[in-house]
Each structure stands twice: as C-alpha cells, then as structure tokens.
C-alpha cells in the first residue's frame, strides 16, 4: 500500500516552480521530459536480456568505445523527448561528436541539455547498474538557436544537474540549486515518488571507490593517499572499505548516501600526456553539482570542478568527489607530493 502522503516528482517540481513567481514552467517541462525519458529507458534496460538487444551495436562512438545497442536507444529516447519540447536551444550527448541543434521546425527554448544517455554501459551484459546523467545550463549566446558557447559553461552555473540510476530500482536524483532530492520509480503506477528528500552526504565516510588496477599510473600523491586509507594505524584505525562498481552513477550514488570518496585520478600511462578519463560536461560537472549541493566537495585534485570552464564538448578531467573531509584530505596529499605536477 502506498504511503498516504506520497509526493510524485511532477508535484515536487511544480511545488519548486511556485517558489519562483517569474517561472514560465519551461524548467518544469524540461524535468518532466527527463523523468519520462528515464521511465522509457528503464523499460528498455529491464528487458534488455530478454530481447537480445544486448551487445555491440557494431560501431564505436566519439570516445572510440564500442557502442552498445542500449546506448543508442537511450540517446534516441532523450533526444526525441526533448527536441520538440520548446525548452532547449541545443543539446550535447556522449554518443554524438558534435553539438545537437534543435530541428528548425521546432521552437527553441532558453536552456541547454548535456547528457550521458547510458553511463557504465560496458557493464550492461553483466546486469550491473547503469545510469543516465544530465546537466542543464541557461542559454547565454545571442540569437534564437543555441551554440557550443551555451554548452561550454562552468559547472557552478548549472540550473539543474542530476542522474538516474537503473539498479535494483530506478532512482532519479536531481538538484535545482536548493538541495538534492531523490525519487524512486514505483513500477506498479509508473510514478517517481519522493523517497530521499534533502539528501546530505556525511562529512567524512569510511569507503573509498577507485579502480585499483590503475595504481601504478597514479601520481605519487594519490598513491600515498590510498596507501594511508588502506593501512591500519598504530592506534588501530580501521582501514577504509573499498567498493568499486565501475559504473560512475552507481559509485557516486553510493558515495552520496553512505559518504566517503569516489575518484578517477589523473592517469599517467603516457607521462607526456597525463589525462583524466571522465568527461567534464555530462559526467563530472553534474555529479559535482549534486555532491556539493548535498554538502560534499568535488575537485580535479587541485581545484573545484565547478569552477572549470570546459573548452570542448567531450573534454576529460580527473575527478575526486564525496565527503568534504575525504576530498580535502586527498587534496592535501596531492599538494604535498605532486606540487610540481599540479
Ligand atoms: P574503468 C564507464 O565506462 C565509465 O565511464 C564510468 O561510468 C566509470 O566510473 C568508469 O568509466 C570506469 O572506468 O577504467 O575503471 O573501467
């Protein structure tokens, strides 16, 4: 039996809109279309194994990664639900090399949408949680149609940021700048119900989340930090627990709820070309916004992720997000051991 005062995401968004008298309802429509898209993607993800739509779609994406059929479906679902809604001036997707204009036959709106339609998709065949990540900015360029300039804005300017995790249940988490709210999809009625109001991340956690297989490619500061986390001290401080799913949305969602740190450090495989793996526009910036709105911290190891102005739609970055004290602590190790590299 549903809880008598169940609040649907539609009602929550409208309540939020009423806090802004000048609101036109555009953001409400935008969030509603994102929620609709995640219900449609849930339907595809839940039946993936049954309809033999798993596996490779037979080509690679702009990231030169094998594209999974569900990636393509999720990308199309979001595009089709938003291209005619009259709320966007342009879009950017992990699956598409270039900026996505709004078709000329549709009206443009005053927002942009950058999204990763199905993050963690390499895990799909193993039925591991995957997710959708979304980031919304206000249009800043002159003229009716959107340009890349509207997308390449620093993360602190995001109007809305959030994600959907397709796990044991489908949960949508978003912030519009007034805290972080979580909604769980009730499949029997097809409604997202407010299940995690005003999420706050613990100030310090006990879990660290990183791909240990890259240990020898990290800078000395990150290695020393992880050594510290995993070594019992003389007073018997219990080492941190390690948890790594390899699906950013699931790893960040656990970090948000339980505390601790999720990181994808600078990768020194090629010392001449150190690089991050995660993409700024539609992975790092939206996750950073959610984590900081919940009281946590998000950096690239040396500076706030939300202050960085991306120069390219698919720009990559190192990423350290989670509990305030934990992210501050890794920053101190990087400052102490990697200063010359920072
Ligand atoms: P690795 C998934 O492909 C992804 O983009 C993120 O979801 C995830 O956090 C990361 O890559 C995993 O990368 O190198 O540990 O497999």
């Amino acid at each position: 039996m549903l809880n008598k005062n169940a609040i649907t995401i539609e009602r929550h968004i409208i309540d939020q809109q009423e806090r802004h008298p000048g609101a036109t309802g555009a953001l409400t429509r935008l969030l509603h279309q994102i929620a609709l898209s995640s219900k449609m993607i849930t339907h595809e993800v839940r039946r993936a194994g049954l309809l033999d739509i798993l596996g490779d779609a037979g080509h690679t994406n702009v990231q030169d990664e094998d594209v999974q059929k569900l990636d393509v479906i999720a990308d199309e679902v979001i595009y089709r639900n938003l291209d005619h809604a009259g709320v966007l001036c342009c879009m950017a997707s992990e699956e598409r090399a270039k900026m996505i204009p709004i078709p000329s036959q549709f009206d443009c709106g005053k927002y942009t949408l950058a999204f990763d339609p199905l993050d963690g998709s390499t895990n799909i065949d193993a039925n591991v949680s995957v997710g959708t990540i979304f980031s919304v900015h206000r249009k800043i360029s002159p003229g009716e149609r959107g340009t890349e300039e509207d997308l390449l804005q620093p993360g602190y300017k995001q109007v809305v940021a959030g994600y959907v995790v397709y796990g044991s249940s489908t949960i949508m988490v978003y912030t519009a700048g007034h805290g972080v709210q979580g909604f769980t999809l009730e499949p029997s009625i097809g409604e997202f119900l407010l299940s995690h109001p005003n999420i706050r991340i613990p100030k310090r956690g006990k879990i660290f989340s990183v791909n240990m297989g890259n240990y020898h490619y990290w800078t000395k500061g990150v290695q020393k930090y992880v050594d510290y986390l995993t070594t019992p001290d003389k007073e018997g401080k219990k080492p941190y627990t390690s948890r790594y799913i390899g699906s950013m949305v699931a790893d960040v969602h656990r970090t948000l709820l339980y505390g601790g740190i999720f990181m994808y450090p600078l990768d020194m495989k090629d010392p001449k070309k150190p690089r991050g793996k995660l993409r700024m526009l539609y992975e790092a910036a939206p996750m950073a916004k959610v984590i900081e709105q919940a009281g946590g911290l998000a950096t690239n190891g040396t500076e706030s992720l939300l202050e960085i102005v991306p120069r390219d739609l698919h720009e990559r970055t190192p990423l350290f997000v989670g509990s305030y004290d934990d992210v501050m602590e890794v920053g101190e190790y990087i400052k102490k051991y990697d200063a010359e590299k920072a």
Side-chain angles (χ1 to χ4, degrees):
M1 185 57 192
L2 282 179
N3 178 323
K4 289 184 182 46
N5 57 8
I7 296 176
T8 65
I9 192 166
E10 286 79 7
R11 176 160 145 229
H12 184 273
I13 295 168
I14 289 167
D15 290 350
Q16 293 294 313
Q17 179 187 320
E18 282 164 6
R19 292 171 57 160
H20 304 277
T24 62
L27 212 46
T28 298
R29 282 201 306 281
L30 172 48
L31 275 165
H32 183 267
Q33 293 301 95
I34 291 174
L36 172 66
S37 299
S38 60
K39 292 176 191 174
M40 295 164 81
I41 294 168
T42 295
H43 179 66
E44 297 300 338
V45 168
R46 297 281 177 243
R47 63 193 191 122
L50 304 173
L51 293 176
D52 188 34
I53 58 176
L54 290 176
D56 195 327
H59 60 283
T60 59
N61 67 11
V62 66
Q63 322 294 342
D64 200 25
E65 290 166 346
D66 286 343
V67 173
Q68 306 292 322
K69 286 176 187 169
L70 275 177
D71 276 353
V72 176
I73 292 169
D75 180 71
E76 274 298 306
V77 162
I78 295 170
Y79 174 68
R80 296 259 171 259
N81 281 333
L82 271 301
D83 67 347
H84 63 285
V87 295
L88 297 179
C89 62
C90 61
M91 294 184 241
S93 166
E94 186 203 24
E95 294 304 320
R96 304 189 197 203
K98 296 194 177 343
M99 180 197 85
I100 309 164
I102 298 301
S104 53
Q105 68 268 32
F106 298 136
D107 291 340
C108 269
K110 59 184 182 182
Y111 296 107
T112 69
L113 175 69
F115 60 97
D116 183 351
L118 210 60
D119 175 74
S121 55
T122 49
N123 292 304
I124 287 173
D125 289 355
N127 200 29
V128 171
S129 298
V130 290
T132 296
I133 311 172
F134 53 91
S135 167
V136 177
H137 277 289
R138 267 190 198 80
K139 183 177 187 310
I140 54 174
S141 66
E144 193 216 350
R145 314 312 279 187
T147 66
E148 274 204 9
E149 179 195 358
D150 298 306
L151 289 158
L152 298 177
Q153 299 187 59
Y156 74 89
K157 289 188 174 177
Q158 290 174 93
V159 182
V160 165
Y163 59 84
V164 181
V165 53
Y166 309 103
S168 47
S169 56
T170 294
I171 294 185
M172 180 164 160
V173 172
Y174 86 90
T175 179
H178 308 288
V180 178
Q181 316 298 328
F183 300 81
T184 300
L185 183 62
E186 171 45 73
S188 63
I189 57 171
E191 288 287 359
F192 274 110
L193 302 180
L194 183 63
S195 53
H196 298 73
N198 301 315
I199 301 174
R200 301 296 293 169
I201 187 169
K203 191 165 181 299
R204 178 179 283 275
K206 297 187 176 62
I207 301 171
F208 76 102
S209 184
V210 67
N211 182 344
M212 288 300 287
N214 294 329
Y215 182 92
H216 294 291
Y217 299 126
W218 296 337
T219 59
K220 190 170 175 194
V222 177
Q223 290 174 336
K224 288 283 188 185
Y225 172 66
V226 171
D227 293 347
Y228 155 73
L229 289 185
T230 51
T231 308
D233 69 7
K234 292 168 197 58
E235 291 80 59
K237 171 185 78 69
K238 189 172 169 305
Y240 273 43
T241 297
S242 170
R243 290 283 182 273
Y244 191 69
I245 301 167
S247 205
M248 180 189 195
V249 177
D251 279 318
V252 170
H253 186 60
R254 182 206 52 249
T255 304
L256 177 68
L257 296 187
Y258 294 176
I261 185 168
F262 168 75
M263 44 191 160
Y264 208 104
L266 205 60
D267 177 325
M268 312 289 282
K269 280 194 185 82
D270 176 353
K272 294 194 192 67
K273 273 178 31 186
R275 64 161 215 165
K277 171 175 186 179
L278 302 175
R279 275 61 60 125
M280 178 59 84
L281 217 62
Y282 40 77
E283 289 179 332
M287 289 311 201
K289 184 79 175 178
V290 168
I291 288 284
E292 296 214 353
Q293 275 285 314
L297 191 61
T299 75
N300 63 1
T302 55
E303 54 187 311
S304 164
L305 280 170
L306 293 178
E307 296 294 331
I308 297 170
V309 182
R311 289 153 306 192
D312 170 82
L313 294 183
H314 302 291
E315 182 174 307
R316 295 173 188 264
T317 177
L319 171 141
F320 301 81
V321 297
S323 295
Y324 187 86
D325 289 357
D326 290 306
V327 177
M328 282 298 287
E329 199 156 51
V330 67
E332 282 150 26
Y333 275 82
I334 291 172
K335 202 165 156 190
K336 179 176 177 185
Y337 292 98
D338 302 339
E340 68 283 0
K341 287 197 184 69

